[in-house]
Amino acid sequence: MSDFPRWFDWVIEAAEVYDYGRYPVKGMGVWMPYGFQIRRRVLEVIRGLLDSTGHEEVLFPLLIPEHLLRRESEHIRGFEGEVYWVTHGGREELDVKLALRPTSETSITYMETFWIKSYRQLPKKYYQVVSIFRYETKATRPMIRLREVTTFKEAHTVHESFEDAERQVLEAIEVYKAIFDRLLIPYVISKRPEWDKFAGALYTIAFDTVMPDGRALQIGTVHHLGQSFTRAFDFRIQMRDERLDHPWQTSYGVSDRVVASLIAVHGDDRGLVIPPSVAPIQVVIVPITPGDEEKRGRVLSYTARVAERLEKAGFRVHVDDREWERPGAKFYYWEAKGVPLRVEIGLREAEEETLTIARRDTLEKVEAPLGEAEGRIRELMAQVESNLRRRAQSFFKERLLRTDSLEDAGEWVESRRGIAEVPWCGRESCGLEMEERVNGKVLGTPWPEEPVEDGKRCPVCGRPAVAWIRLAKTY
């Protein structure tokens, strides 16, 4: 895709997903009805996986008092330059500045001090889906870099030991793998370097995918918080040995970027291509009516029968019976919206009791008798899912380079061909120099750890390599 940013702007407008740039606050957009339905179905996947693993949904206030946000010093240093502050209520200046939530570790930890008193209540897993606000000073992009992130799923967990929190990190990674696998979004998992971990965390594990322009996009993060926030709030619970001690925490989040990735990874020059599992409309039926009134009635009657039959079989169906639009315009419209299957019904189909079915991913057409419609459509949707997965994985694998040469890595990254991996000695100074020399960003080291063959050396200092390190252009 030669001009991905322009394509992305076009597709979210043409498909009526997200109106960006016209709302009079920079970095904020509006989810339109069709886009909201895509978002809702993606969130159903996320909520289902979290609920099935014992997470409980909560909802916290948007406003955080300044003194709460400042309780964990490393955390506030990481966010201070991005915080929106509320300083007035009406005409009155507030006694306490209130932050628009940039993330919720401090406010949730504060409330946990009242709710959790004993190890018997642990582990405790909360999550919420909310808006967060960051004063982004870089160029904002719809769904990708926003000042209001409207689909922020953040999970926060509490544990009685470091080891149990570590187990929760592993569970969170498995949950995120299941989410992205369900959405057919390929990814690499990396342990972020010390200089780029979440503010206040012991370490951060991140998921990155590659967009059509070769830039890496972070789509999910998991943080082992240790006791950083529980110590800051002097949050203690009774342990098994009857001591009072600080519990351990994790947090992990995904955002609007999940929907952005779904759009970018699967879309093409005609518009969206939505996997059937999360498509708001799985089958759109387009009646092609002749001018003769009696024949037109037969086509519409047969269309209604087909729609009813498919709806009873559990498919999400829409009949496009707009009389003022020509069939070709309707085809273009629904292709832009990425509906997985289109059923065309003309006089021939009505007379022969057949369906002409077009796939959105390949644009191929097949015919099926009405009696086999449900099975054939189910089979075609499975084929669409399989093809989208194969296509996305194939593109992604072509965007990964492993090389001993920092020059080759730099050329790969600079030409925006994807993610490059080079041997690394583990020293921060060498990692930061790599960023400068390739004009990219360090994503981290592969997770789980991947062994480095004997004889591999850091291309910066020449010392023996202890890990592979990933570099890419990023958003």
Side-chain angles (χ1 to χ4, degrees), residues 37-64:
Q37 289 304 311
I38 297 172
R39 174 186 180 273
R40 181 172 72 85
R41 295 201 174 275
V42 169
L43 284 174
E44 284 175 357
V45 171
I46 294 170
R47 281 190 166 103
L49 286 163
L50 290 171
D51 292 346
S52 69
T53 49
H55 293 73
E56 300 174 284
E57 189 165 6
V58 295
L59 184 59
F60 272 68
L62 170 63
L63 298 174
I64 303 175

Side-chain angles (χ1 to χ4, degrees), residues 68-184:
L68 275 192
L69 201 60
R70 292 193 181 279
R71 287 287 284 273
E72 211 292 321
S73 58
E74 183 182 345
H75 183 68
I76 186 58
R77 282 199 303 272
F79 282 105
E80 193 162 18
E82 300 177 355
V83 176
Y84 278 94
W85 294 104
V86 177
T87 59
H88 286 72
R91 293 187 178 91
E92 294 183 16
E93 186 172 349
L94 300 178
D95 294 335
V96 177
K97 286 200 302 184
L98 303 174
L100 296 184
R101 169 179 49 223
T103 183
S104 300
E105 279 73 15
T106 54
S107 55
I108 288 180
T109 300
Y110 174 73
M111 294 306 298
E112 286 169 344
T113 66
F114 300 106
W115 298 344
I116 302 172
K117 301 298 182 182
S118 167
Y119 74 91
R120 293 186 179 90
Q121 296 171 265
L122 303 182
K124 185 61 73 174
K125 309 174 192 178
Y126 300 116
Y127 77 95
Q128 62 178 356
V129 181
V130 292
S131 283
I132 62 168
F133 295 81
R134 306 268 177 91
Y135 183 66
E136 290 284 359
T137 54
K138 296 180 181 178
T140 57
R141 296 290 308 153
M143 297 190 215
I144 292 173
R145 184 169 292 280
L146 297 164
R147 290 183 171 178
E148 181 185 9
V149 179
T150 57
T151 314
F152 190 63
K153 189 289 304 169
E154 53 178 334
H156 299 265
T157 71
V158 187
H159 307 270
E160 63 174 309
S161 66
F162 172 90
E163 292 76 16
D164 196 52
E166 190 103 291
R167 282 191 290 273
Q168 189 58 42
V169 167
L170 299 180
E171 179 185 271
I173 290 169
E174 291 304 312
V175 167
Y176 281 5
K177 286 166 67 175
I179 291 169
F180 300 131
D181 290 347
R182 190 84 60 86
L183 300 176
L184 316 180

Side-chain angles (χ1 to χ4, degrees), residues 346-376:
L347 186 60
R348 179 177 64 82
E349 285 83 5
E351 291 176 341
E352 298 176 2
E353 295 212 333
T354 60
L355 310 177
T356 297
I357 308 169
R359 286 174 54 167
R360 173 61 185 88
D361 59 327
T362 63
L363 306 178
E364 296 172 334
K365 292 186 180 183
V366 297
E367 291 194 3
L370 179 60
E372 300 174 7
E374 298 92 335
R376 192 74 179 102

